[in-house]
């Protein structure tokens, strides 16, 4: 499936060392899952978690859900072996942590190419350090080059809070400028961008509000740490009924014979341009992929 048709509203982290959570995954309604070898796995479990991957992917059910493997940093003790193990499983993507420069993406891509990885295997990149933020434009620009394999950026908000020493507030006020910078870079590079996790999975109301704000900011979806967060994320990052009604109205208006060749039309007292038509068509296409 082309990347532009992928749904990434709800992307659930699942520790590769948690057999119970992995077994439950096929029953969940998340758009994608990140099988995690990094932060969610204790050092003493790293090797056994990696060794569990072949069995998981051998039993993978058919369907549109993406399965992505997050490896440990390639410069560290486990990263290189993680990457080789991930390649053997043929996932949809490999999530690289601690990406700080375009070279981090390109070097991982070279490994994939040297191992004859399928062209459909994509790289995702965690943005979770100050240096990554300073280089975010150059990193995202790789999205314009299909050979880089880069498809998605993931905000690592917990690490950003730790590394920058900002105060973590419920409204994320001190993170907002950087989050918007990530969205801007992702759009410039033609990439998807996922918001970081919300740590308090018991506060459903706060989580839904955070998802709504992230969707308004332009994020494509949110990374999750608990199955209870899937439904609110799917709702927040799906087109509303009102937005779909408006989109259908715009498409229908431009389809009228007298408007077919026009660049601008009047609709409901507003000036509507063809850029609005494109936005409407994109929204309807997303709704169709959701089945809405």
């Amino acid at each position: 499936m082309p990347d532009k048709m992928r749904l990434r509203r709800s992307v659930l982290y699942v520790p590769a060392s948690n057999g119970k959570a992995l077994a439950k995954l096929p029953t969940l309604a998340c758009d994608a899952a990140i099988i995690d070898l990094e932060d969610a796995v204790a050092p003493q479990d790293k090797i056994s978690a990696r060794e569990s991957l072949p069995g998981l992917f051998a039993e993978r059910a058919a369907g549109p859900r993406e399965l992505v493997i997050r490896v440990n940093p390639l410069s560290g003790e486990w990263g290189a072996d993680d990457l080789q193990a991930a390649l053997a499983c043929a996932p949809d993507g490999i999530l690289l942590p601690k990406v700080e420069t375009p070279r981090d993406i390109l070097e991982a891509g070279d490994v994939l190419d040297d191992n004859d990885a399928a062209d459909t295997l994509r790289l995702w990149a965690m943005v979770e350090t100050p240096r990554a933020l300073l280089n975010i434009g150059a990193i995202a620009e790789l999205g314009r080059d299909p050979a880089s394999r880069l498809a998605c950026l993931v905000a690592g908000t917990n690490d950003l809070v730790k590394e920058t020493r900002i105060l973590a507030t419920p409204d994320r006020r001190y993170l907002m400028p950087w989050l918007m910078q990530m969205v801007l870079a992702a759009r410039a590079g033609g990439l998807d961008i996922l918001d970081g996790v919300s740590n308090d999975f018991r506060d459903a109301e706060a989580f839904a509000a955070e998802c709504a704000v992230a969707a308004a900011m332009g994020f494509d979806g949110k990374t999750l740490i608990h199955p209870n967060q899937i439904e609110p994320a799917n709702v927040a990052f799906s087109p509303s009924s009102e937005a779909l009604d408006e989109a259908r109205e715009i498409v229908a208006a431009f389809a009228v014979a007298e408007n077919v060749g026009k660049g601008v039309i009047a609709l409901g007292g507003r000036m509507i341009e063809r850029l609005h038509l494109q936005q409407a068509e994109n929204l309807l296409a997303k709704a169709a992929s959701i089945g809405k």
Side-chain angles (χ1 to χ4, degrees):
M1 182 183 297
D3 283 323
K4 64 181 180 180
M5 299 297 293
R6 295 282 193 184
L7 289 174
R8 292 166 176 152
R9 301 167 299 169
S10 52
V11 181
L12 180 67
Y13 284 108
V14 184
S17 56
N18 189 331
K20 183 177 179 180
L22 292 169
K24 187 178 181 180
L25 182 57
T27 69
L28 302 178
C30 53
D31 288 335
I34 297 170
I35 311 304
D36 195 11
L37 297 173
E38 197 213 11
D39 283 347
V41 178
Q44 65 270 21
D45 297 326
K46 295 287 188 184
I47 295 175
S48 60
R50 182 197 304 146
E51 291 173 346
S52 73
L53 293 178
L56 171 65
F57 279 83
E59 299 173 0
R60 179 179 182 178
R65 177 189 288 138
E66 285 182 286
L67 287 184
V68 176
I69 298 172
R70 179 163 71 168
V71 298
N72 284 279
L74 300 187
S75 59
E77 178 181 354
W78 302 288
D81 289 337
D82 285 352
L83 187 57
Q84 290 297 328
L87 279 168
C89 295
D92 297 294
I94 294 174
L95 176 55
L96 303 174
K98 303 297 187 290
V99 167
E100 295 193 317
T101 70
R103 175 54 53 190
D104 295 329
I105 305 290
L106 296 173
E107 288 179 352
D110 287 344
V111 174
L112 269 58
D113 293 341
D114 291 345
N115 285 269
D116 298 320
D119 292 340
T120 54
L121 177 56
R122 300 301 184 198
L123 290 173
W124 293 20
M126 296 290 304
V127 181
E128 52 188 342
T129 69
R131 193 177 179 202
L133 282 171
L134 291 176
N135 292 321
I136 190 64
I139 292 170
E141 188 64 23
L142 291 177
R144 294 293 176 187
D145 180 6
S148 76
R149 299 176 181 263
L150 185 61
C152 188
L153 301 179
V154 181
T157 45
N158 282 336
D159 279 275
L160 280 173
V161 167
K162 177 176 73 73
E163 295 294 332
T164 59
R165 305 175 194 170
I166 63 170
L167 180 64
T169 61
D171 62 3
R172 305 198 297 176
R173 72 186 71 175
Y174 303 114
L175 273 171
M176 284 298 180
W178 301 332
L179 294 175
M180 291 304 302
Q181 187 178 356
M182 291 182 213
V183 172
L184 185 65
R187 297 297 166 246
L191 301 169
D192 274 0
I193 174 76
L194 303 178
D195 191 13
V197 300
S198 179
N199 298 315
D200 188 356
F201 58 83
R202 290 176 293 270
D203 192 339
E205 184 176 349
F207 178 73
E210 187 168 295
C211 286
V213 171
M217 291 169 65
F219 282 94
D220 294 290
K222 193 163 181 66
T223 47
L224 316 175
I225 59 170
H226 195 278
N228 289 346
Q229 298 174 323
I230 294 172
E231 183 177 0
N234 284 344
V235 170
F237 293 98
S238 295
S240 68
S241 297
E242 294 77 13
L244 290 175
D245 288 342
E246 182 181 14
R248 294 187 186 101
E249 186 179 9
I250 291 172
V251 171
F254 272 102
V256 174
E258 64 189 58
N259 293 332
V260 168
K262 293 182 178 178
V264 181
I265 64 173
L267 180 64
R270 295 185 301 146
M271 182 187 73
I272 304 296
E273 301 180 59
R274 286 204 166 266
L275 66 88
H276 298 115
L277 173 61
Q278 183 178 4
Q279 290 174 323
E281 290 173 338
N282 291 341
L283 196 70
L284 293 172
K286 180 176 182 177
S289 64
I290 295 170
K292 190 170 182 179

